[in-house]
Amino acid sequence: MENNKTRTERIREAQKPGKPKKQLKEQKTPKEPKAPPPKRENVPTMPADPDSMFKEGFLKSVYNEKPEEHVITRFPPEPNGYLHIGHSKAIAINFGFARYHGGDCYLRFDDTNPEAEEERYFIAIQEMVRWLGFKPYKITYSSDNFDKLYELAEELITRDSAYVCHCTDTEVKLQRGGENHGPRYACPHRERPKEESLAEFRAMRDGKYKPREAFLRMKQNLEDGNPQMWDLTAYRILDAEHHRTGSKWRIYPTYDFTHCLCDSFENVSHSLCTTEFQLSRISYEWLCDALKAYKPMQREYGRLNVTGTITSKRKIAKLVDLNIVRGYDDPRLYTLVALRRRGVPPGAILSFINELGVSTALTNIQIVRFEQSVRRYLEQTVPRLMLVLDPIPVIIDNLPDDYLEELELPFSPKDPAMGNHTVPFTKTVYIDRSDFREVDSKDYFRLAPAKAVGLLKVPFPIKATTFTKDPNTGLVTEVRASYEKPEEGTTFKKPKTYIQWVSASAKHNSPIKAEVRIFNPLFKSENPDAAEGGFLKDVNPDSEEVYPNAMIETGLNDVRRRAPWPEEEGEKDVNNEDAGFETVRFQGMRVAYFAMDKD
């Protein structure tokens, strides 16, 4: 029975196993040659149709509203942090919508704020898009269009639809009604001659003003009830070199000015974004109309929030800086790089998004629901292995010292296509400490003195006879047992319970020793931000459990040779030599799901 706790697990090898080919040569040759295992095929996960979210509901209606022959979309992240689980929905929608309709999707970096952008974010974002199985039509940058955007800003001024403002932030807020939502009024610079605004804008460009001393604002409609029409800023001054344009520019366009125009330049047909930009649709369309530019259709879907964790870039940085987590890819986080390192397959994330569906409603999902969806996916796509977290040796006294039996185990009892592997069974096996009890009871069905228990796939059970304890710790250090093989002609009594085990065999380099880290939720509550004293006070001190002496059966070597598991999405065409550690995924029987780690 699988462990149903909401947690994630990963392992790192502590022992370097011998080369796979040598291990196979050292194993006994079977009496009858075996046919090679059938090629592994991935069983479809739920929902069965990966395109269902484009065939019905919101996204179907969006396409029907504008049924373009050539659909063009874009995914426009800001390169100022690592993408998180919420971004996976935007990636799946924008790239998936274009792919489903035979179109193209741009990966466009919205790099208009050089103060916050770093090269590592550009690289990580591209990796995550590829990992999720999507290939951008082109990778572009808003900064590609800085010259053209500047020209359009000047044109907007000459059309008397923009002006240079010298108001303070406080004054601008008051013009928009202030905190008390009072009457709105125009900036005193709003009606300055357009020739004067043009000269001032060029002065901004040429370095006359310091940051916050001058802005270019769009001349929209202060009477409109939508705050996105209250003369938004189009350009501001920043004292920062740009990673691509260097020191060429001292003024940079804002998102509200850049986004719709870059969509227009790239002939985007469907500009799909979250509902937080719903109010921005009117300003998006206003600017395109003001400049007589091609106007894409913007439509908004509900964003994905996962409760019980945090996704704020600033707060994650705090966790990293305080060494609460080991980095942005710490498996306890919900950044995409962390989910990849944890061993969550990209297909499981896309399946989860498809399972949720797409609408205009905000989607708040508990971590437990995401974890359940991932486990359902893994149940059908990764092999099973025996793993012992806290091993104790069991010596089977009535077996010879050189006893060796090679047992064939399936990687999956439900999917024969995953194939089989061989493990040794010898005089010494290791079982988990939790599977032995010093004092037996009627409601206990695992190993105890004078009680028999089955070892998974071993023909006959074992019965504990004696055990040894450490006098200092009181822990059991060894169990002695007998192999309960019935005499000929007697009836074999099947044991009530079977437990996992790993055998000691130098010939097979068994067991494989490993450090295992089991992860519990990083936070104690469903809403860490609401915790008294802030989210740092809500950190779970038991979010990581480490088992330094764990043991895994030798089937892990076969799993490594055949990684990635499963071969889907961005890992579909990856060679085994290039597959990351996290693609070596398996189910530790009766424990949890695991993946190898880079540490």
Side-chain angles (χ1 to χ4, degrees):
M1 182 176 179
E2 293 304 313
N3 190 317
N4 288 322
K5 287 185 179 179
T6 303
R7 66 186 191 183
T8 57
E9 296 79 15
R10 61 193 176 100
I11 68 168
R12 64 177 184 180
E13 283 189 280
Q15 169 186 320
K16 294 181 180 179
K19 293 182 179 180
K21 290 182 179 178
K22 289 184 178 179
Q23 289 178 17
L24 288 174
K25 287 180 180 178
E26 291 172 353
Q27 294 177 359
K28 285 187 175 181
T29 304
K31 294 180 180 179
E32 295 181 7
K34 298 176 183 176
K39 182 175 176 60
R40 172 165 53 92
E41 297 176 359
N42 294 317
V43 182
T45 56
M46 297 177 62
D49 185 356
D51 292 324
S52 62
M53 68 182 186
F54 307 111
K55 295 179 177 179
E56 56 193 22
F58 173 77
L59 291 176
K60 179 183 179 181
S61 67
V62 167
Y63 179 75
N64 288 343
E65 190 176 351
K66 189 178 183 182
E68 289 285 328
E69 183 176 341
H70 186 195
V71 167
I72 299 178
T73 61
R74 80 291 169 272
F75 172 60
E78 297 178 64
N80 60 2
Y82 290 97
L83 301 181
H84 56 71
I85 182 65
H87 291 109
S88 64
K89 182 174 183 178
I91 294 172
I93 287 175
N94 281 285
F95 280 96
F97 186 85
R99 183 167 67 184
Y100 177 72
H101 292 290
D104 298 306
C105 181
Y106 287 87
L107 169 58
R108 183 204 309 143
F109 289 106
D110 183 23
D111 58 340
T112 58
N113 184 10
E115 294 178 333
E117 294 155 4
E118 296 183 34
E119 184 65 21
R120 58 175 172 159
Y121 301 137
F122 288 89
I123 295 171
I125 289 170
Q126 292 181 57
E127 287 180 352
M128 290 303 97
V129 169
R130 288 195 299 268
W131 178 63
L132 287 172
F134 298 108
K135 183 179 180 180
Y137 167 62
K138 287 183 181 178
I139 297 176
T140 60
Y141 303 80
S142 293
S143 58
D144 292 340
N145 301 301
F146 276 175
D147 289 326
K148 193 171 183 179
L149 290 168
Y150 176 81
E151 293 171 2
L152 289 175
E154 286 204 352
E155 181 180 338
L156 198 65
I157 296 171
T158 60
R159 290 175 177 271
D160 200 25
S161 293
Y163 61 96
V164 173
C165 166
H166 301 278
C167 296
T168 65
D169 289 347
T170 300
E171 289 170 335
V172 171
K173 288 178 182 176
L174 290 173
Q175 292 162 17
R176 293 172 173 167
E179 294 181 359
N180 297 322
H181 306 289
R184 297 186 292 276
Y185 58 91
C187 163
H189 310 99
R190 196 175 199 264
E191 299 306 325
R192 71 196 314 174
K194 55 189 178 184
E195 294 79 13
E196 185 179 319
S197 278
L198 186 59
E200 287 291 271
F201 185 51
R202 290 171 178 172
M204 286 171 57
R205 177 198 63 190
D206 297 336
K208 177 181 177 180
Y209 296 107
K210 296 178 181 179
R212 315 200 79 78
E213 288 184 348
F215 305 84
L216 181 68
R217 295 174 66 181
M218 294 178 270
K219 191 183 289 187
Q220 296 170 293
N221 181 6
L222 296 174
E223 300 302 316
D224 195 299
N226 187 333
Q228 287 298 115
M229 289 297 288
W230 299 347
D231 289 11
L232 300 179
T233 299
Y235 266 83
R236 76 281 201 207
I237 301 166
L238 296 175
D239 276 336
E241 286 200 4
H242 194 275
H243 71 287
R244 300 187 76 237
T245 61
S247 58
K248 177 179 178 179
W249 296 96
R250 293 193 71 253
I251 57 173
Y252 292 94
T254 62
Y255 174 89
D256 292 305
F257 186 80
T258 305
H259 184 65
C260 63
L261 294 178
C262 285
D263 279 358
S264 181
F265 301 156
E266 293 174 352
N267 292 309
V268 168
S269 59
H270 300 78
S271 181
L272 306 174
C273 54
T274 54
T275 51
E276 63 191 290
F277 296 101
Q278 189 166 14
L279 292 179
S280 299
R281 190 199 298 180
I282 188 171
S283 57
Y284 180 107
E285 295 176 347
W286 176 89
L287 184 55
C288 290
D289 290 339
L291 289 167
K292 310 298 182 187
Y294 160 69
K295 182 171 59 182
M297 183 182 81
Q298 176 179 307
R299 291 297 179 265
E300 308 83 17
Y301 56 87
R303 68 180 297 171
L304 170 63
N305 289 336
V306 179
T307 63
T309 188
I310 58 169
T311 53
S312 161
K313 298 167 187 173
R314 177 181 59 82
K315 292 174 182 176
I316 292 177
K318 192 75 171 176
L319 293 172
V320 174
D321 293 342
L322 293 175
N323 294 318
I324 294 172
V325 295
R326 295 185 180 90
Y328 290 90
D329 65 348
D330 188 295
R332 289 166 289 184
L333 297 174
Y334 281 78
T335 58
L336 290 182
V337 290
L339 292 176
R340 178 178 65 176
R341 183 178 178 184
R342 187 191 303 182
V344 175
I349 295 176
L350 296 181
S351 177
F352 172 66
I353 299 299
N354 197 27
E355 180 184 313
L356 294 177
V358 182
S359 70
T360 58
L362 174 67
T363 306
N364 286 311
I365 296 296
Q366 293 179 313
I367 286 177
V368 64
R369 183 171 174 185
F370 173 70
E371 300 287 354
Q372 288 170 348
S373 178
V374 172
R375 282 198 296 272
R376 284 198 301 271
Y377 188 92
L378 291 170
E379 169 71 22
Q380 302 176 74
T381 57
V382 301
R384 296 185 181 189
L385 298 175
M386 292 188 291
L387 174 147
V388 176
L389 291 175
D390 189 7
I392 54 174
V394 177
I395 313 299
I396 306 173
D397 289 319
N398 60 337
L399 289 181
D401 290 344
D402 61 351
Y403 183 82
L404 173 63
E405 186 175 355
E406 291 184 325
L407 305 175
E408 187 174 75
L409 276 63
F411 276 124
S412 170
K414 299 179 180 179
D415 183 10
M418 285 193 185
N420 302 318
H421 63 290
T422 302
V423 297
F425 172 58
T426 63
K427 181 183 180 72
T428 300
V429 298
Y430 294 90
I431 67 170
D432 199 89
R433 188 173 300 279
S434 65
D435 286 333
F436 177 77
R437 183 178 289 182
E438 298 174 37
V439 179
D440 194 13
S441 62
K442 290 183 179 180
D443 60 347
Y444 184 72
F445 301 106
R446 285 171 281 175
L447 195 62
K451 173 174 277 187
V453 69
L455 300 178
L456 286 167
K457 298 301 180 179
V458 174
F460 305 106
I462 60 171
K463 179 187 288 186
T465 54
T466 62
F467 61 90
T468 305
K469 296 174 66 173
D470 186 316
N472 296 317
T473 64
L475 294 175
V476 173
T477 56
E478 182 183 274
V479 176
R480 312 293 291 201
S482 61
Y483 192 42
E484 298 296 289
K485 183 176 181 179
E487 295 181 4
E488 273 190 48
T490 60
T491 304
F492 168 61
K493 185 178 180 181
K494 187 175 181 180
K496 292 184 177 180
T497 301
Y498 286 82
I499 61 175
Q500 72 265 35
W501 55 278
V502 181
S503 199
S505 173
K507 180 179 181 179
H508 298 83
N509 288 324
S510 177
I512 296 175
K513 296 179 181 179
E515 177 183 284
V516 172
R517 301 173 187 167
I518 291 183
F519 297 106
N520 300 305
L522 182 58
F523 297 99
K524 294 179 285 188
S525 73
E526 278 296 300
N527 187 0
D529 287 324
E532 185 176 352
F535 73 99
L536 292 176
K537 297 293 184 180
D538 196 48
V539 172
N540 177 12
D542 301 316
S543 63
E544 180 181 71
E545 301 172 47
V546 180
Y547 294 86
N549 302 310
M551 296 179 176
I552 311 170
E553 57 149 295
T554 54
L556 178 63
N557 296 324
D558 297 88
V559 173
R560 289 189 66 178
R561 284 193 291 269
R562 293 172 58 184
W565 293 81
E567 296 175 4
E568 294 185 356
E569 308 308 337
E571 298 170 348
K572 187 180 298 182
D573 300 317
V574 176
N575 295 323
N576 178 262
E577 296 79 9
D578 301 323
F581 288 110
E582 70 281 351
T583 69
V584 184
R585 306 178 179 102
F586 65 92
Q587 179 190 99
M589 287 190 277
R590 295 180 55 238
V591 184
Y593 291 94
F594 296 86
M596 287 185 62
D597 188 64
K598 65 182 182 180
D599 280 355

